[in-house]
Amino acid sequence: MKLALVTFLLVSLVVTSTFFEVSMAGSDFCDSKCAVRCSKAGREDRCLKYCGICCDKCHCVPSGTYGHKDECPCYRDLKNSKGKPKCP
């Protein structure tokens, strides 16, 4: 009985760590792209926050520090509650 429990815990640990690595890989992409996008922003912390939200939803970030939103229509079309562009 103890052997079965230990085996179950080890398998659970391996499966959990695999899912964790996959989710972290996606955030590295967004972190690096948003760092470039927000590098010249006046409120860099706010820019990084909203860029990260948009990147997670759209899986892309336009190149450069401003404009080029046609490269990523999903990123371009996300709006905040006031109807203004959500993504920097």
Side-chain angles (χ1 to χ4, degrees):
M1 185 68 164
K2 288 183 181 181
L3 181 61
L5 180 63
V6 170
T7 303
F8 174 75
L9 290 175
L10 286 173
V11 169
S12 297
L13 181 64
V14 169
V15 170
T16 303
S17 67
T18 303
F19 286 126
F20 183 71
E21 287 177 22
V22 169
S23 68
M24 289 302 291
S27 67
D28 287 343
F29 169 79
C30 289
D31 289 347
S32 64
K33 293 287 189 176
C34 288
V36 171
R37 183 81 178 165
C38 297
S39 63
K40 294 183 179 178
R43 302 280 308 262
E44 189 174 357
D45 56 337
R46 182 180 285 176
C47 181
L48 289 169
K49 174 184 175 183
Y50 289 107
C51 180
I53 291 169
C54 295
C55 180
D56 285 341
K57 287 184 180 179
C58 298
H59 306 291
C60 64
V61 175
S63 62
T65 57
Y66 185 79
H68 306 285
K69 288 188 177 182
D70 289 335
E71 295 175 3
C72 185
C74 171
Y75 190 96
R76 175 193 64 212
D77 296 338
L78 285 177
K79 305 287 184 205
N80 64 17
S81 60
K82 296 178 183 175
K84 296 188 176 189
K86 181 177 194 135
C87 308

